[in-house]
Amino acid sequence: MTERLHVVVRGRVQGVGFRYAAYRKAQELGLAGWVRNLGDGSVEAELDGARALLEAFLAWCREGPPLARVQTVDVTWSVPRFSHTEVEIR
């Protein structure tokens, strides 16, 4: 069953390649949606996919790429929205 994950990652997550690495991870997992930087220095993603794959993405977000320092991860689960199977970087 497909679900939607909305996540906002805070900490040192901009300027360390987090957005691009999250985009690549979502692609690798076959998720659909988008990833973007926010003006407050956080990174936001909204992705659709199988629950197990979204959980794998979420686990990755809690660590991020090597230079990132994740402090908090806000998570919201809901019904899927995207009909395609691609991830956009914004």
Side-chain angles (χ1 to χ4, degrees), residues 23-63:
Y23 162 76
R24 298 291 296 158
K25 185 64 174 179
Q27 278 188 320
E28 173 189 316
L29 293 168
L31 302 173
W34 49 263
V35 180
R36 68 180 172 189
N37 285 338
L38 295 178
D40 66 359
S42 61
V43 173
E44 178 183 37
E46 189 169 289
L47 301 165
D48 287 354
R51 179 72 179 227
L53 297 174
L54 293 168
E55 291 279 3
F57 179 82
L58 183 56
W60 179 90
C61 284
R62 296 185 194 286
E63 297 296 320

Side-chain angles (χ1 to χ4, degrees), residues 6-33:
H6 178 261
V7 62
V8 178
V9 184
R10 292 183 174 81
R12 187 172 67 178
V13 294
Q14 287 191 21
V16 295
F18 195 102
R19 178 181 55 155
Y20 184 72
Y23 162 76
R24 298 291 296 158
K25 185 64 174 179
Q27 278 188 320
E28 173 189 316
L29 293 168
L31 302 173

